[in-house]
Amino acid sequence: MNPQSNAVSESFFQSQGIAPAVLSATRPLYWSVRRELWENRSIYLAPIGVAALFLFGFLMSTIHLAARMRAALALDPMQQRELIEKPYDIAGLMIMGTTFVVAVFYCLDALHGERRDRSVMFWKSLPVSDLTTVLSKASIPLVVIPLLTFAIIVVLQGMMLLLSTAVLLGSGVSAATLWTQVPFFQMSMMLLYHLVAIHSLWYAPVFAWLLLVSSWARRAAILWAALPLLAIGFFEKIAFNTSHFAALLGYRLSGGPTGAGIQRGSMAMETPTTLVVGHFLISPGLWLGLAVATAFLAAAVRLRRYRGPI
């Protein structure tokens, strides 16, 4: 690399108050995350493909959009909103469901795959620590995928809204009701809050557990991820005739406290207030889950350090 360009870059970052030590510490993590995106293109191709398919189906459905809008005008405001918002809610839920499945399978293969194809020996030869590698893989389901989900849903819903507006205006129907009943900014803010609170923070122990199993299992990682949980649930039921562990798992997978959840089937709630966010942040389940996720990731780092190729 050109030494002069390096000097210019360092002087720029120093002028911005960014220490070179910070840059050198974060650069391996940055390039490790980029490597994950290069090697796992399904992370973004799968949701983009689902979004394109849904948009095509929505385009076909606009043939009857003007008739549906005229019928909606005869309903009360609450029913109008439910009818008009429905396609946008389905679009958001489909993309979120797709990215959640992608995140689960990515975590199951993240550390298992590099041992299976024996590339782990090559990556361990690079000046990148096991901690950086595991953190880069954990950042995919916890940071990258939620942000990617948000971007895809906002673009998709925005295109749906503009397309609907054009169809209605071309049919001689006012689009004022459409824009009134589809609070785009409100929906986007609630979506961002939901993705950060639930898909990133609340599901952190779930993804960390999958990464831990991925670093340990020699084969069939998905079975090793599910069977211990099922075994604990069955043992508790047989031994004590209780279902506390199953209820705990259900509570975690369902999204936790109602203050962090999104109304099922509707994404156009009020913008999250300080009270709602505060209720989520003081939830014991959130901090206990983050502590468990930290322990799982620490165990995954240690396992990667000592596990060889399969």
Side-chain angles (χ1 to χ4, degrees):
M1 186 176 291
N2 190 344
Q4 184 177 1
S5 63
N6 279 340
V8 172
S9 299
E10 290 180 4
S11 62
F12 170 78
F13 286 117
Q14 288 175 358
S15 66
Q16 298 298 316
I18 303 175
V22 175
L23 294 175
S24 62
T26 57
R27 187 177 291 113
L29 179 62
Y30 168 75
W31 283 106
S32 297
V33 172
R34 290 196 62 174
R35 174 173 70 86
E36 294 302 315
L37 295 175
W38 288 334
E39 293 184 347
N40 301 274
R41 297 185 179 182
S42 60
I43 291 172
Y44 52 89
L45 291 181
I48 289 176
V50 172
L53 183 62
F54 186 90
L55 185 62
F56 178 75
F58 180 79
L59 177 62
M60 296 295 100
S61 71
T62 56
I63 297 174
H64 307 289
L65 180 61
R68 291 199 304 270
M69 185 60 67
R70 293 190 183 97
L73 294 176
L75 303 174
D76 62 76
M78 183 63 68
Q79 292 176 324
Q80 280 184 13
R81 170 166 288 195
E82 291 178 357
L83 181 63
I84 295 174
E85 282 182 357
K86 189 175 181 180
Y88 300 88
D89 296 336
I90 294 175
L93 293 173
M94 282 186 63
I95 301 301
M96 284 192 291
T98 300
T99 52
F100 179 76
V101 172
V102 169
V104 167
F105 281 94
Y106 166 80
C107 290
L108 287 171
D109 191 63
L111 295 166
H112 181 264
E114 65 178 8
R115 291 188 296 124
R116 185 182 61 246
D117 60 23
R118 299 179 177 270
S119 64
V120 66
M121 302 306 295
F122 171 75
W123 298 120
K124 283 187 175 184
S125 67
L126 297 180
V128 179
S129 66
D130 294 296
L131 175 61
T132 299
T133 300
V134 172
L135 288 180
S136 68
K137 293 178 184 296
S139 68
I140 297 298
L142 298 180
V143 179
V144 175
I145 289 181
L147 293 178
L148 179 66
T149 303
F150 174 76
I152 292 175
I153 292 177
V154 168
V155 171
L156 175 60
Q157 291 180 339
M159 294 177 67
M160 292 168 59
L161 189 58
L162 293 176
L163 182 61
S164 298
T165 302
V167 171
L168 291 176
L169 293 178
S171 303
V173 180
S174 174
T177 303
L178 174 66
W179 284 87
T180 301
Q181 298 296 352
V182 180
F184 188 71
F185 178 77
Q186 244 180 305
M187 292 169 63
S188 300
M189 290 299 99
M190 189 60 210
L191 173 66
L192 180 61
Y193 169 68
H194 175 76
L195 289 170
V196 171
I198 303 301
H199 290 247
S200 183
L201 298 177
W202 191 257
Y203 287 160
V206 177
F207 296 131
W209 164 252
L210 297 176
L211 286 171
L212 174 60
V213 173
S214 178
S215 67
W216 174 81
R218 294 187 61 85
R219 58 181 61 86
I222 188 171
L223 292 180
W224 284 111
L227 288 179
L229 305 181
L230 294 175
I232 294 173
F234 282 128
F235 175 80
E236 180 194 359
K237 186 65 176 178
I238 294 172
F240 306 104
N241 196 28
T242 58
S243 303
H244 299 304
F245 185 74
L248 179 64
L249 289 179
Y251 179 69
R252 178 63 54 178
L253 294 175
S254 65
T258 55
I262 210 167
Q263 184 180 350
R264 302 305 178 192
S266 176
M267 297 177 63
M269 295 177 63
E270 297 294 329
T271 303
T273 62
T274 304
L275 180 62
V276 171
V277 176
H279 175 69
F280 173 71
L281 291 178
I282 64 174
S283 170
L286 169 65
W287 297 105
L288 180 60
L290 292 177
V292 171
T294 302
F296 285 161
L297 291 178
V301 172
R302 186 170 182 82
L303 283 172
R304 187 182 188 272
R305 185 172 302 158
Y306 298 107
R307 302 291 273 188
I310 299 174

